[in-house]
Amino acid sequence: MVATPTTTTLTVAGCKTHLRRAGRGRPVLWLHGGGGVTAWAPFMDRLSDSYELIVPDHPGFGRSDMPAWLDDIEDCAFFYLDLIEALGLERLHLAGNAIGAWMAAELAIRDTSRLATLTLVGAAGIRVKGVRKADPFMMSEEEHVRALFHNPSFAEARLKAKRSEEEEDIALRNEFTFARLAWEPRFFSPHLEKWIHRIKLPTLIVWGEGDRMFSVPHAAAWHRLIAGSRLEIYAQCGHLPHIEKADQFVATFTRFAEEKRS
Amino acid sequence: MKFCLFHLMPYGALDLSYTEKYPSAWTSLPNSYYDPKKGHHYYNRYLDELEYGDELGFDALCVNEHHQTAYGLMAMPGVIAGALSRRTKRARIAVLGRALPLINNPLMVAEEFAILDNITAGRLIAGFVRGVGIEYHTTGVNPGFSHERFHEAHDLIVQAWTRTGPFAFEGKHYNFEYVNLWPRPYQAPHPPIWIPSQGSTETIEWAAHPDRRYTYLQTFSAVDTVKRFHHEYMDTAARYGYTASPDQLGWAVPVYVAETDEIAYREAAPHIESLYNKFLRMPMPFLLPPGYTSFNSMKRLRSIRRGTTGGELPTAKDLIKRGMIICGSPATVRETFEQHQKEIGFNLLISMCQFGTLPADLTRKSMTLFAKEVMPYLRDKVPPAQMRSATAAAE
């Protein structure tokens, strides 16, 4: 039984921001990846059984405004610091995938005072020299969708899904903002790595063994750079472990968050 | 009508079977396909062709900028323009254009153009473009900032040409404490500015603005597209409160002239097909990276593209029919351009006399026939004045 999240609009830093919220408990803020939030996913539903889950559309994505100030991922990090304050969130579990995880890390090197834990899933944001990343900006939409998953049935389902005209517009809008934030340097900030040591939070790193966007050496680099972090690598899983291995992801996250909640 | 000779300088020795292995002659095609010994030959042959254009009486010789491609070998068009500047004496030299957003220091373009303008005593025409989509991959420049960087770089260059330095330039993408251009351009206030485009309302609004009134060139488009955008320019000028001069409107198109229509078709066909189907071949992510156009333009272009892909590649016959190349006997080519000028209203013809794999002998033959049998006939033709006011009235 999938619960329907409530949707609200909150203006932060002049940006009308679209938020989905569901569940009760300690707050979890989920920062989506470059494709945006296409649906209330099963992992969100299960997380909202135990937590108050908050899923915003990033500035320039989904149904949120495109603010004039939005130039890069660092802007998103400051924006989310504002949003966390505006919502009055404390002892927050901050989690994200791909560029959403990149935003979370950028936020955490700046201010962790309201955070309890940090979870990075298939994170963008750092460069591992000599390890090539896939380039979604050189792929057709179909090639990109196929590259996201280990199990092709997930890709098939996504490619078969019919989109309304509004959903088509949102997909194109997401592509525009995704490129604006991640084009150059492609999927990393040269400054982030210099300051990652400032993250002294309990940190969970989740990765698909078959991640074709950011391969496993990236996971190992994050694990090395964040002292005391926990690394979980899922077998037979691509770039979106929270989608492809939803049960396993919810179990990993819950175990970690409960251990580190104090 | 005025005549400009345009060259792309393609790598004419390209192994056209590359398409069995690679999606495009841009960026993905390994440069092992390029042979520098052949390259030496082509650069010099093409420079000879442009110099011959000066002898034949073309009003301007045009070069342009592209990167990491067999489609055009002028990554640094100022080098080519520099070579032409001393060997030609009469024709203007048009760089169509420098891709401003791709450059991190636009003052280098201001300098390059000012030097050319000084050497040639004011024969330079300055073209500004945004570069094609794939060039945002090859330079790394974020396509989301393409328009911002274009406008800002343009403002910086024009200020550098016209303001007494040193002054400071305070932009978002470009910041300079000291702008003080040596040399200043020869032409006052600055060289004429031309804007080549594949057709965009935003570009027309900007180029036609009374502060600028820049010459607009529609490049490599079907005749009905040329007409639509030229009329849009005239209408936009009318809305701004002035009548656009026909010299503000140019059409860039491949041209081939031979003794008869039949010979012209037979000689040009494989080479024009190589241009459109081999040298210009590009998948969607190469052509339209996100942010390169406005959201609405992207939506429109993608839906058009969806409608036309999956079909067969165009044949020379299709291309001739759509006016993507003007090809025929001198009489046919004369009449075609005269008719189009009457209906469309442009006064600048930017003819590309070499295209794709077209060899030297045919290029030279066609150029000679065009200059001797077509240009003199069209030289004193101008678009009918009533057509321009009718377009404005229809608005």
Side-chain angles (χ1 to χ4, degrees):
Chain A
M1 177 67 192
V2 176
T4 314
T6 58
T7 59
T8 52
T9 301
L10 178 72
T11 300
V12 176
C15 174
K16 247 171 46 186
T17 310
H18 180 253
L19 300 169
R20 299 164 196 77
R21 302 177 83 154
R24 298 177 65 173
R26 289 279 284 275
V28 175
L29 179 62
W30 174 262
L31 303 183
H32 65 74
V37 178
T38 48
W40 187 251
F43 87 93
M44 295 177 183
D45 202 49
R46 267 164 254 170
L47 280 179
S48 67
D49 287 342
S50 324
Y51 300 95
E52 186 197 4
L53 179 65
I54 305 164
V55 183
D57 288 336
H58 302 324
F61 283 82
R63 292 181 174 83
S64 292
D65 276 358
M66 177 72 199
W69 48 255
L70 183 64
D71 290 326
D72 54 31
I73 292 283
E74 288 84 345
D75 289 326
C76 297
F78 285 112
F79 166 84
Y80 278 116
L81 284 170
D82 274 2
L83 180 134
I84 289 167
E85 274 179 31
L87 290 174
L89 303 174
E90 301 275 359
R91 309 219 40 77
L92 167 74
H93 298 296
L94 179 62
N97 166 236
I99 62 162
W102 181 5
M103 291 172 200
E106 293 278 1
L107 185 157
I109 65 171
R110 287 164 171 81
D111 181 5
T112 52
S113 60
R114 288 169 180 261
L115 307 185
T117 67
L118 176 66
T119 299
L120 307 174
V121 183
I126 59 171
R127 171 177 61 186
V128 182
K129 279 193 178 172
V131 179
R132 296 291 299 154
K133 289 176 282 217
D135 186 357
F137 301 126
M138 275 293 209
M139 297 176 184
S140 69
E141 193 180 2
E142 183 181 337
E143 287 165 339
H144 186 195
V145 169
R146 291 192 189 284
L148 292 175
F149 297 100
H150 169 81
N151 177 347
S153 67
F154 283 92
E156 295 300 337
R158 197 169 274 203
L159 290 167
K160 261 192 235 131
K162 284 263 176 292
R163 288 193 297 215
S164 68
E165 202 187 326
E166 194 203 1
E167 286 166 334
E168 287 283 350
D169 282 358
I170 286 177
L172 184 58
R173 200 162 174 263
N174 290 352
E175 253 187 76
F176 268 54
T177 312
F178 183 37
R180 189 177 182 89
L181 299 177
W183 188 273
E184 162 69 18
R186 205 153 285 186
F187 294 110
F188 78 100
S189 156
H191 305 292
L192 175 59
E193 189 175 330
K194 294 190 280 185
W195 302 106
I196 289 183
H197 65 269
R198 288 182 47 78
I199 302 176
K200 296 180 181 91
L201 282 178
T203 298
L204 170 65
I205 298 159
V206 179
W207 225 272
E209 191 181 36
D211 189 330
R212 279 186 271 165
M213 306 311 293
F214 305 105
S215 55
V216 168
H218 292 90
W222 280 103
H223 182 47
R224 192 178 65 247
L225 288 163
I226 302 179
S229 57
R230 179 180 302 176
L231 174 60
E232 298 270 354
I233 295 177
Y234 293 179
Q236 301 191 312
C237 179
H239 181 53
L240 311 176
H242 51 296
I243 303 289
E244 212 169 341
K245 302 283 178 189
D247 288 337
Q248 195 179 347
F249 174 67
V250 171
T252 308
F253 177 83
T254 308
R255 200 166 55 237
F256 168 75
E258 292 317 302
E259 253 177 60
K260 307 289 181 184
R261 63 173 289 153
S262 51
Chain B
M1 201 180 290
K2 292 175 184 154
F3 304 94
C4 310
L5 177 68
F6 184 75
H7 218 306
L8 274 172
M9 299 201 173
Y11 184 59
L14 179 64
D15 173 3
L16 298 179
S17 72
Y18 86 83
T19 47
E20 289 160 22
K21 287 194 201 149
Y22 299 99
S24 175
W26 298 68
T27 306
S28 58
L29 183 67
N31 61 2
S32 52
Y33 275 74
Y34 179 83
D35 175 348
K37 293 206 172 55
K38 289 178 182 161
H40 164 77
H41 160 77
Y42 277 104
Y43 276 115
N44 286 286
R45 176 195 140 190
Y46 292 155
L47 279 164
D48 288 346
E49 287 169 3
L50 284 164
E51 289 168 16
Y52 183 48
D54 187 41
E55 263 175 61
L56 287 172
F58 280 89
D59 299 285
L61 311 170
C62 314
V63 300
N64 86 340
E65 171 182 346
H66 285 297
H67 299 273
Q68 300 190 12
T69 177
Y71 172 81
L73 295 176
M74 289 179 280
M76 289 290 144
V79 173
I80 306 296
L84 290 172
S85 68
R86 294 270 302 165
R87 293 288 292 266
T88 63
K89 295 294 172 215
R90 204 194 42 76
R92 282 179 163 267
I93 296 171
V95 182
L96 302 178
R98 290 297 323 252
L100 302 187
L102 306 182
I103 295 159
N104 289 322
N105 180 0
L107 288 174
M108 295 181 73
V109 174
E111 290 166 342
E112 173 190 314
F113 280 178
I115 294 169
L116 287 165
D117 206 36
N118 277 258
I119 293 175
T120 60
R123 283 192 284 135
L124 182 82
I125 293 166
F128 295 147
V129 295
R130 292 195 298 117
V132 295
I134 183 63
E135 285 161 344
Y136 289 78
H137 285 280
T138 52
T139 57
V141 169
N142 192 322
F145 299 117
S146 171
H147 282 107
E148 284 179 13
R149 286 170 68 97
F150 179 82
H151 291 134
E152 213 175 279
H154 161 272
D155 293 350
L156 170 57
I157 291 166
V158 171
Q159 285 184 33
W161 281 342
T162 54
R163 285 180 63 182
T164 301
F167 65 89
F169 185 84
E170 298 169 323
K172 173 178 170 183
H173 297 279
Y174 307 111
N175 274 284
F176 292 92
E177 292 303 312
Y178 308 104
V179 179
N180 188 14
L181 206 70
W182 287 74
R184 290 162 54 216
Y186 188 90
Q187 297 175 82
H190 57 71
I193 294 173
W194 288 10
I195 308 296
S197 169
Q198 288 255 284
S200 124
T201 298
E202 293 99 334
T203 302
I204 287 173
E205 296 275 338
W206 179 82
H209 190 278
D211 291 351
R212 289 176 282 272
R213 300 192 186 202
Y214 292 159
T215 295
Y216 174 85
L217 310 180
Q218 184 72 30
T219 59
F220 307 142
S221 308
V223 171
D224 50 358
T225 309
V226 177
K227 183 172 174 175
R228 179 157 61 90
F229 285 109
H230 278 185
H231 287 189
E232 190 176 324
Y233 190 104
M234 291 177 202
D235 296 343
T236 305
R239 222 173 334 106
Y240 283 135
Y242 75 96
T243 304
S245 150
D247 285 339
Q248 273 167 274
L249 295 172
W251 175 19
V253 60
V255 176
Y256 191 79
V257 192
E259 296 78 356
T260 65
D261 286 353
E262 200 198 1
I263 296 172
Y265 171 79
R266 198 176 61 230
E267 288 176 345
H271 307 294
I272 195 66
E273 286 174 5
S274 78
L275 171 68
Y276 284 104
N277 299 336
K278 299 289 184 178
F279 288 93
L280 257 175
R281 180 187 168 94
M282 273 193 251
M284 185 62 91
F286 283 48
L287 202 60
L288 292 171
Y292 174 70
T293 68
S294 70
F295 181 84
N296 287 330
S297 301
M298 182 72 95
K299 246 180 101 167
R300 187 172 52 79
L301 289 167
R302 283 206 180 170
S303 64
I304 293 169
R305 180 90 172 173
R306 231 173 251 142
T308 54
T309 47
E312 307 217 326
L313 294 171
T315 62
K317 280 207 168 69
D318 304 328
L319 293 165
I320 290 169
K321 202 169 146 202
R322 292 163 60 202
M324 305 287 283
I325 174 174
I326 306 302
C327 173
S329 68
T332 299
V333 172
R334 278 199 299 263
E335 283 155 26
T336 306
F337 281 127
E338 188 177 6
Q339 187 59 29
H340 288 323
Q341 186 190 39
K342 256 187 213 149
E343 283 174 17
I344 297 174
F346 61 89
N347 203 43
L348 289 175
L349 182 62
I350 291 88
S351 47
M352 186 165 74
C353 292
Q354 194 284 334
F355 40 83
T357 48
L358 191 72
D361 55 340
L362 295 183
T363 302
R364 213 161 255 266
K365 184 180 78 163
S366 169
M367 280 172 69
T368 309
L369 282 170
F370 182 75
K372 297 201 187 309
E373 310 277 338
V374 178
M375 277 166 34
Y377 176 84
L378 294 170
R379 193 45 90 191
D380 60 353
K381 301 283 187 293
V382 287
Q386 74 278 12
M387 191 216 70
R388 276 173 277 139
S389 45
T391 314
E395 173 65 7

